[in-house]
Amino acid sequence: MISEYLPVAFFDVPVWNSIIYLLGELVIIVLLLWILLSFLIGCLIVLSIRKKKMYFPILLRPVLTFMEGTVKLVCMMFRVDPTELMAFLIKIDNQMNYSAFAKVPVEKRAVFIPLCLRSARCPARLSPDVGISCISCGKCPLGDAIPALKEAGYMTFIIPGSTFIKRLVKQYRPQAMIGVGCLMEVKEGLELGRKISMITLGVVTATDGCVETTMDYDVLMKVASIGLDKELKMPEKR
């Protein structure tokens, strides 16, 4: 080791000792600041959830990118339900991406819908190029939603998983996307969007599960209408 070849006096030099002392103090200060900032952001999130009003979203998202783990621990101290926290984080991402999404032409946008929303009796087939090709058979609301989205100009896909998203993004090159799914799926979709530098918004389904889940399609249409001159709507039931 290097210390074997250096005189012991080298480590007794006052300047060297001062540097080590200062480095130790700096580490402690950084650690304390990290804990303090995590606590403050955690408190801000708890307040936002309790008051149902988002405070300082521009500050929250960048900070959470680096210290999400410790902030989650702070939220757990205040007994914040994990699903509430996840829904809030999705809301932050949506708000942060709103303006950028609105600027993307509709023909450069894609909507990814999970397979579980279709009817268990759905006769449509799965294709590796487009996912499930909806035939508007009338067995589920997707038969109304898909044509409305496509007519507006959206690339629309019903897919079985995130692997399809990566493949279709690579194939069709959208500049922005809307991901529909349960809380965990939407969270993962937003994370994927950040990784591939894709402007992403998330819409959470009303129920979880693998078969015949439900969602508020009016919410999907409202999100899909961002930046458009005309608000999209589901066809009225006859």
Side-chain angles (χ1 to χ4, degrees):
M1 295 178 62
I2 294 177
S3 58
E4 296 177 0
Y5 301 97
L6 292 174
V8 176
F10 176 82
F11 296 99
D12 293 330
V13 175
V15 175
W16 178 253
N17 291 334
S18 297
I19 291 174
I20 294 176
Y21 181 77
L22 287 173
L23 286 175
E25 283 192 327
L26 183 61
V27 170
I28 293 173
I29 290 172
V30 170
L31 182 60
L32 289 175
L33 287 175
W34 181 280
I35 294 172
L36 178 60
L37 185 57
S38 298
F39 184 78
L40 290 175
I41 293 299
C43 291
L44 198 57
I45 290 176
V46 172
L47 180 64
S48 298
I49 292 174
R50 296 284 185 262
K51 297 292 185 180
K52 299 187 184 302
K53 179 182 178 182
M54 192 175 297
Y55 296 95
F56 306 109
I58 295 178
L59 171 65
L60 290 176
R61 183 65 264 177
V63 173
L64 282 169
T65 301
F66 296 101
M67 50 179 57
E68 186 170 330
T70 48
V71 170
K72 283 182 177 179
L73 288 175
V74 173
C75 292
M76 288 173 61
M77 289 170 52
F78 287 98
R79 297 183 180 181
V80 174
D81 187 276
T83 57
E84 277 189 301
L85 178 58
M86 195 178 300
F88 182 77
L89 295 178
I90 290 171
K91 188 176 180 180
I92 291 176
D93 278 326
N94 282 347
Q95 186 159 330
M96 292 298 293
N97 292 333
Y98 184 100
S99 297
F101 186 89
K103 296 175 183 177
V104 178
V106 67
E107 64 272 10
K108 295 293 184 180
R109 304 179 187 177
V111 180
F112 293 100
I113 298 171
L115 198 66
C116 59
L117 279 170
R118 68 174 183 159
S119 167
R121 297 173 290 114
C122 176
R125 305 233 171 172
L126 178 65
S127 163
D129 295 324
V130 295
I132 294 291
S133 298
C134 180
I135 59 174
S136 297
C137 64
K139 291 182 171 62
C140 72
L142 289 177
D144 293 324
I146 298 294
L149 291 167
K150 286 186 174 180
E151 185 178 347
Y154 275 92
M155 294 177 274
T156 309
F157 307 99
I158 305 173
I159 57 167
S162 58
T163 303
F164 258 76
I165 294 180
K166 297 175 184 177
R167 182 191 306 168
L168 295 174
V169 164
K170 186 176 181 180
Q171 182 175 348
Y172 292 94
R173 303 285 184 183
Q175 294 176 7
M177 65 181 180
I178 299 173
V180 180
C182 65
L183 278 171
M184 183 57 69
E185 288 172 336
V186 171
K187 182 178 182 296
E188 291 174 352
L190 290 167
E191 290 173 353
L192 173 63
R194 286 196 293 272
K195 287 180 182 177
I196 63 177
S197 300
M198 173 76 64
I199 302 165
T200 309
L201 298 180
V203 176
V204 180
T205 54
T207 57
D208 296 341
C210 300
V211 180
E212 292 192 340
T213 54
T214 60
M215 71 169 296
D216 187 336
Y217 285 88
D218 290 332
V219 172
L220 174 59
M221 292 300 163
K222 184 175 181 179
V223 173
S225 300
I226 293 173
L228 305 185
D229 295 331
K230 182 180 178 182
E231 185 175 347
L232 304 182
K233 294 184 179 295
M234 288 287 286
E236 294 184 6
K237 298 293 182 181
R238 296 179 181 179

